[in-house]
Amino acid sequence: MDTSTADPATVLDTLDRRLVCALQVDGRAESGRLAEVLGVSVRTVTRRLARMRQAGLLTVVRMPDAEFGAVGALLLRVRVLRGKVDTIAHALAARPDVPFVDVMLGGGEVGAVVLAGEGARDRLLHSQLPATGSVVESTAHVVLHAFADAGRWRAGYLDAAEAAALRPPPPSTPPPVTDALDQLLLARLGEDARLPHAALAAAVGAPESTVRRRLHRLAAGGLLRTHATVDPRLLGMAVDANLWIDVPPGRLAEVGEALAAHPQVHGVFATSGPSNLLAAVFCPDHGGLYRFTTGTLGPLGVTRAETAVVGRAVKRAGVLLSAPGGRPRPA
C-alpha cells in the first residue's frame, strides 16, 4: 500500500471510506447492491472501487481458515537484534500459515499470528526460531477464546440500517468437508474475494453453475468470511496498538465482550501467558490511545495494560503489505 507520498487523511474521501466500510461488512457484495445501500450510482461504485484497488489502497480477500475458529492459534512475540527485524518479519510473512505480521514501534519486536498445525508449530517454536541467530527471545501465547477478530472490525462510516442491509446471512450449517475444487475456489478467493462467478469458473475450470452452487454451500458453512485490507490511516486511524491486559478471571468474559463491541477494537482474544486478554485497537492519534486506555480500559476494571504500538504492518489477513526494507508493496 503506497501511501508514503500522500496525506493519509485526504487520500480517501467520505464516500471512499463508506465503500471500504461496506466491503468490511460483505466483501463480495455486488456493485449494484453497494450502490443501492449507499445511495449512489453503480458507475460511481465501480469507478471508485477500481481506483482504490488499482492504486493498491484496498484489497479484499477471504479470511484465512483458522479465523473462522481462532481458538488454538498462536500469538507470537519475537524479540530481534537491531537491523534484523525485516529479515525475521518477512521470513514469517512468507509462511502461508502466518496471516498477520507486524513490526512493533522501535524495531526490536515482531508480532505474528500463527495458524500452523502441531508439527509445523513445534518446528517453528522449538527448532527454527531458536536456531536463528537474529532472534533474541520468542514467546507464544495460545488463543483460548476469540471475542472478535479482524474480520469483524467496522470503520464506522455506515449507520446501523446500512450495515444491516449489507450483512450476509449467518452460517446455517457446520463448516463443510471440502474437496479439491472447493480448495481451489477458496485459494482464489484468498487472493481476491471479489472475483465474480464467471472469472472463478474460468480460473478453476468448472462450470459457472457448479461454482455458484459450491460457493453457496461454503458460505452456508461460514467459510466465505472476507476481510477488506486497507491502511487504517486512510480511515482516520493513525495509531495501531496491541494492549496486553490483565483482567480478574471472573470478569474476563464481561471485559472481552465489552471491548469486542467497541468501534476502535479490531481484535480481542483471551490468551495464555502473563496477560489473559489481548485487544488490538486503532486510534486517531496517540492522544486517542491515551483516552482509550483511561476512558475505556479504566472503567472496565483492568488492573494492568502493556501497550505495544505497531510501527508497520507487514502482512494482514494473508495480504503482504510491505516489501523487505519497509518499502510499501508495489500495487
Side-chain angles (χ1 to χ4, degrees):
M1 294 183 182
D2 189 359
T3 60
S4 57
T5 60
D7 178 358
T10 60
V11 170
L12 299 186
D13 63 17
T14 299
L15 179 55
D16 285 339
R17 295 181 182 194
R18 281 169 54 76
L19 274 170
V20 170
C21 198
L23 293 176
Q24 288 178 326
V25 178
D26 183 3
R28 283 190 57 79
E30 295 182 353
S31 294
R33 185 62 176 151
L34 295 171
E36 178 185 357
V37 171
L38 298 179
V40 296
S41 70
V42 175
R43 181 178 179 182
T44 296
V45 167
T46 302
R47 184 179 68 250
R48 296 255 182 161
L49 288 181
R51 177 179 57 80
M52 286 190 284
R53 297 179 73 194
Q54 289 168 6
L57 302 178
L58 172 67
T59 305
V60 184
V61 297
R62 172 186 170 265
M63 288 288 281
D65 280 331
E67 287 295 320
F68 179 76
V71 173
L74 295 185
L75 305 175
L76 187 63
R77 303 181 71 177
V78 184
R79 290 182 56 214
V80 182
L81 291 174
R82 297 288 179 179
K84 300 296 184 179
V85 66
D86 277 342
T87 300
I88 300 301
H90 285 277
L92 287 169
R95 295 175 61 107
D97 55 7
V98 177
F100 293 85
V101 179
D102 292 322
V103 173
M104 311 316 290
L105 192 64
E109 180 179 323
V110 175
V113 176
V114 181
L115 307 180
E118 185 174 332
R121 177 201 67 194
D122 289 348
R123 284 192 298 275
L124 175 65
L125 295 180
H126 305 313
S127 177
Q128 294 165 332
L129 286 174
T132 304
S134 302
V135 172
V136 176
E137 180 185 18
S138 64
T139 57
H141 308 271
V142 179
V143 172
L144 307 179
H145 180 78
F147 295 99
D149 64 22
R152 282 185 53 184
W153 182 64
R154 306 291 180 254
Y157 289 92
L158 302 182
D159 61 33
E162 290 168 331
L166 287 164
R167 190 173 297 120
S172 57
T173 66
V177 175
T178 58
D179 61 15
L181 177 56
D182 292 330
Q183 290 298 325
L184 280 174
L185 290 169
L186 294 175
R188 292 308 303 261
L189 293 173
E191 300 169 357
D192 183 357
R194 292 195 58 76
L195 283 173
H197 294 104
L200 280 169
V204 302
E208 186 174 341
S209 59
T210 299
V211 167
R212 288 180 179 274
R213 185 171 64 253
R214 293 294 187 107
L215 292 184
H216 179 76
R217 182 173 64 90
L218 293 170
L223 295 184
L224 292 190
R225 295 177 67 235
T226 56
H227 184 273
T229 302
V230 64
D231 188 328
R233 295 175 300 171
L234 305 180
L235 302 173
M237 299 292 180
V239 175
D240 185 2
N242 294 334
L243 303 177
W244 296 90
I245 300 168
D246 291 351
V247 179
R251 299 198 60 203
L252 183 58
E254 174 190 354
V255 174
E257 289 165 3
L259 289 175
H262 196 285
Q264 289 177 230
V265 174
H266 61 99
V268 188
F269 305 95
T271 73
S272 65
S275 299
N276 56 5
L277 194 68
L278 169 67
V281 301
F282 289 138
C283 297
D285 49 33
H286 291 102
L289 179 57
Y290 172 79
R291 291 188 294 274
F292 182 92
T293 303
T294 57
T296 299
L297 294 187
L300 290 174
V302 169
T303 57
R304 190 185 73 89
E306 176 194 352
T307 303
V309 176
V310 175
R312 171 164 48 91
V314 176
K315 190 178 185 183
R316 291 284 168 92
V319 178
L320 190 64
L321 304 181
S322 65
R327 299 181 303 277
R329 179 183 63 82

